Amino acid sequence: EKDDAGNIWIGTWGGGMFKVSADRSVTEHYTAQSKTPLPSNEILALKSDGEQQLWVGTFGAGMFSFNPKTHDIKRYRFVPKY
């Protein structure tokens, strides 16, 4: 997924996500073991919303938003009511 700044975001199965800078000079790696941990390393979907948020869908840990500038994460969980 390409964000508004031209960075490319890549989600992996088991390896978290990567950011490649627009000029390809910097690569950042985010995982569940990072300083700001992701909820899951199994990334299924990525979408930039144009509002400086990256929306991330995972396997087993729901969805979360990620702010690339502040590294803030907000997790959204689905809890079924039976």
Side-chain angles (χ1 to χ4, degrees), residues 40-62:
S40 173
N41 284 331
E42 288 79 32
I43 308 299
L44 298 176
L46 294 168
K47 183 65 180 162
S48 177
D49 69 2
E51 301 288 325
Q52 298 183 352
Q53 291 292 318
L54 188 67
W55 292 87
V56 184
T58 71
F59 178 80

Side-chain angles (χ1 to χ4, degrees), residues 5-46:
N7 300 309
I8 297 173
W9 292 86
I10 303 165
T12 70
W13 181 262
M17 65 183 185
F18 292 85
K19 178 181 102 172
V20 180
S21 64
D23 65 2
R24 311 293 189 267
S25 66
V26 177
T27 301
E28 295 179 30
H29 186 205
Y30 302 90
T31 69
Q33 292 75 35
S34 296
K35 184 176 179 180
T36 303
L38 301 180
S40 173
N41 284 331
E42 288 79 32
I43 308 299
L44 298 176
L46 294 168

